[in-house]
Amino acid sequence: MRRKYGKLWGIAVLLMFQMLLLIFIVQLNSEKEVSTSEYLDSFWVEVATEENDFTCLIKWWQKENAQQNEYYLTLPYFAKDRQVKVNFLSGNDVFLDGVKLRNGVRLPELEEGNHEIACADKNYCLCVVYGSNIPTVHITTDTGSMEHIYADKHYKEPGYATILNQEGVEYQGNLDYITIRGNYTSTLPKKPFNIKFLGEADLFGMGASKKWCLLANYLDNTMIKDKIGYDFADEVGLTFSPESVLTDLYINGEYIGNYTLCERIEISESRIDINDLGDWNERLNQGIDFETLELGGVRGDESYLELGSSMWVNIPNTPEPSEGAYLIEYELASRYDDEVSGFISNYGQPIIVKSPEYASQEQVQYIQSYYQAFEDAVLSDNGYNAMGKHYSDYIDVESYAKLYVFQEFVKNLDAAATSLFFYKEKGEKLVAGPVWDVDLGFGYSIERDGVNMADPNSLWVAGGHLSNELSDKCSIFTLLCKHEDFRTEAIKQWKEYFIPRVDTMLNNVSQIYGESKESIVLDKFKWNPDASYEQVEQSMDGNISAMCEFISQRTDFLTDIYSSENW
């Protein structure tokens, strides 16, 4: 009986995709009916996987600043040497390399390189390019457009997703939504996305979850820093480090670029596996929409100026605050008020309560009081607070030292200012991690607080500040590094966990870039309007070499520094 229903479900999924495909084609045909252009309005191809359980539609695209009739068709690797169906919209005859086309004609293949398309008295140059042999993500939104999503970063639109691995279909299913993610990155031309499936999906063995990230890496001149950083964090033992896979992303048939498909930072069995207090809150308040509840605490544009303040949600029923787990994040002061729950430490550190996101006053004040006791101890000269407790009574020192050394090693621009996570299980100490957002590390070319981030031979995190808005306050890592016992632990972590794994990291850089180079270069070519493909390829090779050189020099520098008594 189970097999029967599994087969029926598979048939239902296939019929659903075919319906979406039909809607897409009908939309294109309807455009043809109202089109008055005598030239070529659009051009796209259909190509099926080897098992024919998925057919993707891929449109031509035009690069910004390209010549008027210059177009590109970016096809996934699996389409090589495979039959394609050609479609177009035009009221006139269309010729491909001198051969007359008809809609729906099947070609044995489309060879990589330049092709000539002629329509009426106009000629088009169509450059066919193939990506790397990496997974691809194909998303169709319900409207068949991204207009509303791009117009409002908070807008969520349902859709359907098919994810392919090198063998075939990895996953097919309905999307609860796709939406833009990120803060500053959401303002950039190439957008990052969050996606949520209606049901849990275990993608590429990363663990089952409904929620996933598609990281754009627009500011990353190598496209692989997050991937390399997360893998290395896992190697050195930073718990719950995100797993990720490089992919090519297509939305509504349009090639978007190379994206890192990544786990989201969340509490769940397959992510941060600790007791989820947010779920407990929901179970005690069934039928209540938390978004409709009254907000409490100090809020507003100037809220971050009030030391010791907090913000929460007025939840009717909650468990004892100490009975659950918490996930907190350091955030920039300017972003603090955008969140639901959080607090400002007496020192001035804005902290978001990420889980439970909708936290009660008692829950926020519990984790705030715990954190404050830790901060008071760190701020003291001897490491003890007024209650006679050492800072090590509140935190897992090994994890904090490990996270400090990691951030110092990659010289992460955002270290200790934003995207810095800590979690606390019931009855346990605060643990540092998981790692997040290292795309602005590994030699990012910028200067901050008088430090050249591209220079591998200078300390950064040990002397860093909370943020640009609070630049007179040292970061938590700077404060910790003032204590000799913490420095001793950091040196131990560097010697035992980091140095032995640097060569593995460098090999990982070479392997990942080698496997995904074509896709990475295509992405940078698409999103760099002024560079030729050859220029981008040469630049990317240079960027990868520079990253490897930074890692090597940084290793030598920190080995010398951590061998000194005065660092």
Side-chain angles (χ1 to χ4, degrees), residues 61-72 525-532:
W61 56 273
Q62 193 166 32
K63 184 178 177 179
E64 186 180 345
N65 294 347
Q67 295 184 16
Q68 184 177 2
N69 296 332
E70 187 175 82
Y71 288 84
Y72 295 86
F525 171 69
K526 175 184 173 70
W527 293 101
N528 187 339
D530 300 317
S532 68

Side-chain angles (χ1 to χ4, degrees), residues 344-359:
I344 307 293
S345 75
N346 291 340
Y347 182 65
Q349 175 65 60
I351 296 178
I352 307 304
V353 179
K354 300 299 289 186
S355 184
E357 179 183 7
Y358 295 90

Side-chain angles (χ1 to χ4, degrees), residues 352-389:
I352 307 304
V353 179
K354 300 299 289 186
S355 184
E357 179 183 7
Y358 295 90
S360 69
Q361 181 176 4
E362 294 77 16
Q363 289 166 348
V364 171
Q365 290 179 347
Y366 168 79
I367 192 64
Q368 180 180 14
S369 176
Y370 186 95
Y371 180 86
Q372 194 57 59
F374 155 64
E375 184 180 80
D376 291 344
V378 174
L379 284 166
S380 70
D381 291 337
N382 62 2
Y384 289 86
N385 60 24
M387 295 179 289
K389 288 193 172 184

